[in-house]
Amino acid sequence: MIKRTLTINGVEKSVITKPDTSLADVLREQLRITSVKVGCGTGQCGGCSVIMDGKVIRSCITKMKRVKDGTSIITLEGIGTPNNLHPIQLAWIANGGAQCGFCTPGFIVSTMALLESNLSPTREEVRDWFQKHKNVCRCTGYKPLVDSVMDAAKLMRGEITEDDLRFKIPEDGRIWGTKYPRPSAIAKVTGTCDFGADLGIKMPSDTLRLALVQAEVSHANILSIDTSEAEKMDGVFKVVTHKDVVGKNRITGLITFPSNLGDGWERPILCDDKIFQYGDAIAVVCADTEEHAKEAAKKVKVEIEQLPEYMNAYAAMAEDALEIHPGTPNVYFTQKIVKGEETAPVFDKADVVIEDDFYVGRQPHMPIEPDVGFAYYDENEDMIISSKSIGIHLHQAMIAPGIGIDPDKLKLTANPAGGTFGYKFSPTMEALLGVACMATKRPVFLNYTWYQQQTYTGKRSPFFMNVKFAADKEGKLLGMESDWTVDHGPYSEFGDLLTLRGAQFIGAGYDIANIRGEGRTVCTNHAWGSAFRGYGAPQSVFASEVLMDELAEKLNIDPLEIRYKNAYRKGCTTPTGQEPDVFCIPELIDTMRPEYAEAKKSAAARSTDEVKCGVGLALAVYAAGLDGPDSAESCVELNEDNTVTMFSSWGEHGQGADMGTLGTAHEALRPLNLAPNDIKLVMNDMRTTPNAGPAGGSRSQVVVGQSVKAACEALLDAMRKSDGTFRTYEEMKAENIPFKYSGTWTAPCTDCDENGQGNPFPCFMYGFFMAETDVEIKTGKTTVTKMTMVADVGVVNNKLVVDGQLYGGLAQGIGLALSEEYEDIKKHSNMKGAGIPYIKDIPDNINLIYVETPRPNGPFGASGCGEIPLASPHAAIINAIYNACGVRITKLPAKPEKVLAALNAKK
Ligand code: MCN
Ligand code: FES
Ligand code: FES
C-alpha cells in the first residue's frame, strides 16, 4: 500500500492505495469523483482524461505509484457546476456537444488544458489537440465539439457574452423546430449525470461485484465446468453457472416469421452443453470486489471438445458443415422478393445489364461506455434490473422465462446510456444480472471491460450480395435481380427481420417495376448479429448505390442524372410495392446540384499525380418505424402546481429521447402556454412508464411521438372548458376529473408477405450524400475531405439533436467505409484495432442541408432521423474513391492496403 496526498480540484485529499491501482480507479472508486469515465480502460479513448499538474493525462493508464505526493489533479467537478457553468460547458450545451455525454467530461477537461495554453486556437489546432490526447467521441462526428471549443474561446476572450450562448425561448413560446438544449445537457457537461458504472459503485456495501468467464474458442462442446478453485479465492461469494439457473437458461430471439426453421430459443444465458461463439458467457463470479471477482474468474476451468468453427456464412453453408444448433439447419430462414413481371424476359430485352458482388462486414458498434448494469430486489420483492436497455418491456419478455421468474415480478429500468447504436436492442447482460441476483439473493453489479463489450455483445451482420440491374440506354431501370446472404452469427435474434430488410431496401429510392430476388439467414460461429444503426440499410443500399454508379459509367451518364431519372415520383412504389410517404427525392437531388458542380471543379483543380481527388454520390431511403402495426403508449399527468409530468419509455441511447419527448409534448400542449421546464419527464422505468416499444428502426419520434401527442391531447380534452379555456388542477379536482391520461398510437401498416410485398412502414427518411475524397496513390490511403448530406427527415422537432444525429451517423459511415471491422477477433477487440475514427479521420467540413417535407403519419409532420445518416454515406465514399483513382472497392472496409492492391492490379 502507498499513501498519497493530492490536491484535487483545489482541495487536499489523502488516499491509501495499491501502487498498481490506476488513478482513474482511485478517483472513481475511492474518492467517488465519478465525472472521470472509464471507457476503453487502455489509454485509447480519453474518457478518463484529467489535468495533472497542468497537463492532460489519461488516468486509466496512470498507476498511482507514478503519481507523486502533492500532485494537482483537476477533474470536471473542478471546472464548473450546474449553477456556475464554465464557458466551455455553456458552449458544449449551445452546440449540442453532449449526445450520450459519456465522452463529455474527458473532452471538456482536455479543452480546459488546451485553452489554458492557447486561448486563440484555430480549428485545426483544436483537432490536432484532440487527436494528440486521443479524445474519442462516437456520437457527434466531432464537428459540434470543435464548434464548442471555438465558442468557448470566444467567450473567454470576451468577444461574445454568456447571453449569446444561452438559448432564448422565442416570443411565441414555441420550442418545436429550435435548438432548445436537451434537458440532460447540464448534467452531462458537469459530470453530475450518473451513468450505470457511477450508480453501480454507489450501491450498498453488500452489493456483489461480478466478473464474466468467457469462451476462448468459437465452437465447442462443453465437457465440464470446474468452479472449485475459483470458489475458494479471496472474497468470492458464489460462482454462478448454468446449474444455478432455475429457468430455461435461454434468451428468446422472438421469431418474427412462422417460416423461420429455428425456434428462437438458442442463446444460452450461461453456456451449458455448447459454446457457440468466442466470448460466450460460461460463468459469473460474484465477489466482494471487482478485483477479487476477476481474479477468481481466471480460475474457473472449462474442459471442452473443440468443434469446427464456421466463421462466415459460406463456411456454415458448406455441405459437410455440422448444424451449429443441432436440429436446426444453418440456413434457417429465406425471404423472397417478387414484384411486377418475371425479370428474365425483362433482362433479355434490356439495352444494358450490369451486375456485381458486394460485401458489407461485421461493423462493431463501439460505444465509448462499455455495457454495464445492476440488479436487486426492491421492497415489494420485485427483481429490478437497471441497464443500458433501449427496450425495457421487450427485454423483460425476452429474459424472464430464461431466468425463471414470473414476468410480473421482473421490472427493468434504464440508466443513462453512453451510446449503444443498436447493440442494446438485444439484452446483453440483463439475464446474467437476473440469474446472479436470484442465485445470490444479493444486489449485483456488472461492469464489462471494453474487451468484453467488444467480444460479448452483437455486431452488424455481414451481407454478401449479388445485384443485377437491367436498364434501357437512357438509363431508366427496367428490372432488378438480387441475392443476399446474411451471416447472423449463432443467435437468431431478429435475424429473419434483418433478412427482410434486403428485400425492402436493395434498390430503394428508385422506380423499379420488376424485381426478383432471394435472401437467407445463416447461423455461423462468428459474433451474433444484433441491430446496428441502419439495420440492413447500410448493407442493402450499399450494393444498389455502388451498382448505380457502375451503370452510369457503362451508359456514360452522370451519376447524379441517372439517380434523378430513376427517383421515386408519383405513381411508383417502393420495392415492397408500398407508395412512398412523400416524393422528395428529386428535390434532394436538385438541392445537391450546385454543391456537386462545385465539388467536381474543386476535385479537378486539386488532383495531382500523387494525390487523386474524387467526388461520389449515394442516395438512401430508410424506414422510420418497425414493420406492420407498430405501436406505442405514453402517459401524461397534470400536477398540483399546474405543471405536467410525461411518463414515457422512449428508449435512450444518447440520441435525445428526453428532448424528443419534451419537444413533442411541449408542442402538443401549446394551448396551455407551459414553459418547457413545466414539463417534467419520467423516462424508462417499467414501474411507472408504459410500453412504448424499443428505440430501434428510428421509430420513436414517429411512433412514440404520436403516443405522446395522443396522451397530451387527451389531457387537453379533459381540461378544456366549454368556452375553450382550460381547467386548473384545482378545478379538475373540484369536478372530480382524472389528472392522468394515456395515449396510444398504432401505425396504419401491414407486414410484408412471403414475397416481400406489403405496406410495412408509416414514414420514410431520405438522404442524398456526397463525399469528397483524396486518395494517396503511393499508399492507397483515402481521406474524406468533405461530406455533404441533403436530408429529409420530415419536420424537425429539435435542430440541435437532428444536426447531431446526422453528423454522428456520417462519421460512422466514414468508419464503415474505410476502417471499422470485427473480423479478426484478437486484432479487433480494442477500439483502435477495430478502426474507430479519431477526430482527424473525420472531416471538419460537413455540410448539412435540410428539405422538410411534412409527413402525413408523423407527429406535427416529423419523420425519424437516427439511422438515415448511416444508410449510405459509405457508398458515396466508395464511389468517390473510384472517381478519384479508378478502383472500385465493393467489399468493405476500403483500407489502404486494399485500395493499393487494386491500384497495383489496375496497372
Ligand atoms: N428527431 C427530431 N426531429 C425529427 C426526427 C427525429 O428532432 N424529425 C429527434 C428525436 O426527437 C430523437 C432523435 O432525433 O431525439 C432520433 O429520433 P428517431 O429517428 O425517432 O430515433 P430514436 O429516438 O428511436 O433513436 C434511435 C436511433 C437508432 S435506431 C439508433 S441505433 C441510434 C440513433 O437513433 N443510436 C444512437 N442515434 C444515436 N445517437 C447516439 N448519440 N447514440 C446512439 O446510440
Ligand atoms: Fe482511459 Fe479510455 S483512455 S478510459
Ligand atoms: Fe461523445 Fe456520446 S457524446 S461518445
Side-chain angles (χ1 to χ4, degrees), residues 37-49 58-61 831:
K37 303 297 179 211
V38 175
C40 67
T42 54
Q44 298 183 348
C45 76
C48 60
S49 299
R58 279 157 278 146
S59 60
C60 72
I61 47 166
M831 273 186 208

Side-chain angles (χ1 to χ4, degrees), residues 124-338:
E124 217 36 47
E125 282 169 342
V126 174
R127 285 162 55 80
D128 288 342
W129 181 272
F130 288 144
Q131 182 77 15
K132 179 171 150 206
H133 293 284
K134 298 193 164 56
N135 290 108
V136 184
C137 177
R138 187 64 165 158
C139 297
T140 62
Y142 298 106
K143 184 173 182 285
L145 308 184
V146 182
D147 293 341
S148 302
V149 179
M150 299 311 280
D151 275 352
K154 270 192 225 156
L155 178 54
M156 288 165 79
R157 293 195 303 265
E159 291 164 19
I160 56 172
T161 65
E162 286 196 0
D163 207 40
D164 294 327
L165 290 183
R166 286 194 200 274
F167 181 84
K168 283 166 226 63
I169 308 242
E171 269 183 17
D172 63 1
R174 198 172 180 203
I175 59 164
W176 180 261
T178 67
K179 292 192 169 185
Y180 185 84
R182 66 180 70 200
S184 55
I186 291 182
K188 285 173 177 171
V189 302
T190 53
T192 52
C193 171
D194 276 339
F195 289 84
D198 309 328
L199 294 164
I201 60 174
K202 293 170 192 167
M203 301 263 292
S205 57
D206 66 340
T207 303
L208 295 168
R209 305 283 290 255
L210 309 185
L212 272 193
V213 177
Q214 291 183 277
E216 288 171 5
V217 297
S218 299
H219 195 196
N221 285 321
I222 296 181
L223 305 178
S224 68
I225 303 169
D226 179 0
T227 60
S228 53
E229 211 181 317
E231 303 265 8
K232 285 186 223 137
M233 296 283 288
D234 275 355
V236 172
F237 184 82
K238 187 170 177 58
V239 181
V240 179
T241 68
H242 67 93
K243 292 192 184 132
D244 300 295
V245 182
V246 301
K248 282 174 83 118
N249 190 31
R250 290 290 181 277
I251 293 169
T252 171
L254 295 174
I255 294 302
T256 311
F257 303 108
S259 58
N260 193 319
L261 300 174
D263 64 3
W265 285 101
E266 62 295 287
R267 177 147 77 105
I269 297 176
L270 285 164
C271 293
D272 34 39
D273 301 331
K274 276 189 85 173
I275 288 165
F276 298 106
Q277 66 151 60
Y278 187 94
D280 261 349
I282 298 174
V284 179
V285 179
C286 313
D288 58 347
T289 66
E290 191 175 277
E291 200 183 341
H292 283 150
K294 284 183 174 161
E295 279 308 310
K298 291 183 202 153
K299 303 287 180 190
V300 174
K301 294 196 193 88
V302 185
E303 204 187 340
I304 59 160
E305 176 195 19
Q306 176 76 51
L307 295 170
E309 300 181 339
Y310 306 113
M311 300 305 278
N312 63 58
Y314 290 118
M317 287 162 78
E319 249 175 45
D320 61 349
L322 302 175
E323 284 178 348
I324 292 172
H325 297 286
T328 304
N330 290 348
V331 179
Y332 57 91
F333 179 72
T334 52
Q335 174 66 52
K336 284 193 186 329
I337 173 142
V338 179

